[in-house]
Amino acid sequence: MPATILVGAHWGDEGKGRVVDEFAAKADVVARFGGGDNAGHTVYADGKVFKFHLLPSGVLHEQTACVLGNGMVINPVNLLKEIDSLASTGVDISPKRLLISTRAHIISPAHIALDKAAEKARGDKAIGTTLRGIGPAYLDKAARQGIRAGLMSDTEEFAEALHDAVERANHVLSQQNMELLDAHESAVTYIEAAERLKPYLCETSVYINQRLREGARVLCEGAQGTMLDVDHGDYPYVTSSSSIAGGALTGLGFGPLYVDRVIGIAKAFSSRVGAGPMPTELNDEIGDRLRGTGENFWDEFGTTTGRRRRCGWLDGVILHYAAQLNGFSELYLTKLDVLSGLKEVKIAVAYEIDGKRYDFPPTMISDLERAKPILETLPGWEEDVSGIRHEADLPAAARTYIQRIADLCETPVRTVSVGPARNQVVALA
Ligand code: IMP
């Protein structure tokens, strides 16, 4: 296995953390290629719950090298908190196994303030961002005025760049009558963090290419999901990075010929956090049931923001679209156990917009907002599937549901998870 790419097929929160953790057991390198601490990846291992925002979810497997790629935007203060918290549990997270791309971009306090200001200015058209400064950081990157992580190795220049960024932000904030940032105060914790992160900096693209040439197994960990991709998602209700499989190549800096497997991760139903259209959303007791009460860590409440996720029937239109965009070689379906006990289960197989059928999501958000799902109904199953480990033991109705998804997406479903623990998975032929 040279490179495997793992990406979310919907709007994020598909359960990527647990899947990356599973595949990382057999990987040499695990690399994040996009986004920042807007991501929230949960891994449940040895009876403990780990939540990762910036560190790759494969970090618990100590044989892996972990890479934060050039496509990421990194808040150094939050990264250090995560490193320290994990190190306190005894996991080795030294520069020997964590490498931060010198070409990744830094999220400064200015970006966070500007994210808040932009959301406020959008009023009822707010995107519902995670307020982590993601959009403004990518904006600065594209405008060629961002701060690259490599600058952390020169404290004086780094401090100057932070100062300039805060001054620029204050100009915008003052126009919106928002509280201004104190340039000195904001810089202090960042400079301290930069000092500690210096030893982790590396030309990660050179490193990954070298490892690939040596035959190392590289696992590329997607964040967010296909419909949050800045080009192919439901713009403008998207994040600001390329979250599809193609983003792994630019976000890590290696060529497509190394990739031999692209795994799409989808939940057995759909969920979304933040604003934007969601044609299969259920605002009824079934939606509540899919979400859970929030008592369990696997219930549908945001890992990063704690926000309640919107839930609904599986959107097969989006899944089919995602299978094409990413070129999935297989699907990994999570949370099948949550559907147990429903009399019937439904899948959106197309949309109807103004009397016309759409097999793929329309480009314009105003069209997608009017889309009504064309739902196919299948029989549900009563059985608790959480203890099942073999395909043959799955209820017939569950197998029919899985097969329908595979047919609709023209992609085989190779694995389903039936609970949060590492061993609660069923491999499919
Ligand atoms: P941003 O990435 O913070 O700018 O947020 C843009 C949109 O993407 C918002 O709707 C967020 O809720 C959503 N989003 C960003 N990251 C994630 C994620 O990891 N899971 C789910 N939704 C996300």
Side-chain angles (χ1 to χ4, degrees), residues 7 10 119 128 141 144 151 175 228 236 272 294 300 316 358 362:
V7 286
H10 274 130
E119 279 291 84
K141 172 179 172 175
R144 293 152 296 175
L151 208 62
Q175 286 170 338
L228 292 174
R272 173 165 207 172
E300 297 295 332
Y358 285 71

Side-chain angles (χ1 to χ4, degrees), residues 367-389:
D367 290 333
L368 195 54
E369 271 161 352
R370 296 197 313 286
K372 294 192 189 76
I374 299 175
L375 295 168
E376 199 172 286
T377 304
L378 287 90
W381 56 94
E382 279 301 323
E383 298 90 325
D384 172 6
V385 296
S386 61
I388 292 177
R389 300 290 176 268

Side-chain angles (χ1 to χ4, degrees), residues 268-349:
F269 51 95
S270 292
S271 76
R272 173 165 207 172
V273 65
M278 181 177 173
T280 62
E281 183 171 10
L282 291 170
N283 288 307
D284 59 11
E285 67 284 0
I286 296 181
D288 290 341
R289 193 183 173 291
L290 296 174
R291 183 178 308 108
T293 55
E295 281 159 52
N296 304 307
F297 72 84
W298 60 85
D299 287 344
E300 297 295 332
F301 291 78
T303 312
T304 301
T305 58
R307 289 179 293 179
R308 186 176 176 272
R309 295 181 192 142
R310 302 152 66 191
C311 293
W313 296 122
L314 184 79
D315 192 328
V317 182
I318 281 173
L319 209 50
H320 190 195
Y321 176 62
Q324 286 197 13
L325 277 176
N326 293 287
F328 292 151
S329 48
E330 66 194 87
L331 275 169
Y332 188 123
L333 212 58
T334 60
K335 294 188 91 168
L336 186 73
D337 52 305
V338 173
L339 297 182
S340 285
L342 290 173
K343 268 204 180 61
E344 47 189 33
V345 284
K346 299 185 186 189
I347 306 177
V349 295

Side-chain angles (χ1 to χ4, degrees), residues 11-13 38-40 127-130 134 224 228 238-239 273-274 307:
W11 288 281
D13 308 318
N38 49 349
I127 294 167
T129 75
T130 57
I134 305 295
Q224 289 75 52
L228 292 174
V238 293
T239 190
V273 65
R307 289 179 293 179

Side-chain angles (χ1 to χ4, degrees), residues 147-191:
I147 305 174
R148 281 170 142 193
L151 208 62
M152 291 195 292
S153 57
D154 183 328
T155 309
E156 215 168 288
E157 273 199 51
F158 184 62
E160 209 173 295
L162 278 176
H163 183 271
D164 290 352
V166 168
E167 294 276 284
R168 266 201 316 274
N170 276 344
H171 183 65
V172 178
L173 296 172
S174 68
Q175 286 170 338
Q176 291 190 29
N177 292 326
M178 290 189 67
E179 201 182 325
L180 303 189
L181 295 165
D182 177 326
H184 177 71
E185 198 188 312
S186 331
V188 175
T189 44
Y190 268 64
I191 291 166

Side-chain angles (χ1 to χ4, degrees), residues 35-69:
D37 59 343
N38 49 349
H41 294 171
T42 307
V43 176
Y44 181 54
D46 306 326
K48 278 193 244 152
V49 181
F50 296 86
K51 293 184 178 187
F52 301 115
H53 300 282
L54 285 159
L55 292 174
S57 307
V59 71
L60 297 177
H61 297 274
E62 296 199 36
Q63 91 287 355
T64 59
C66 293
V67 172
L68 303 187

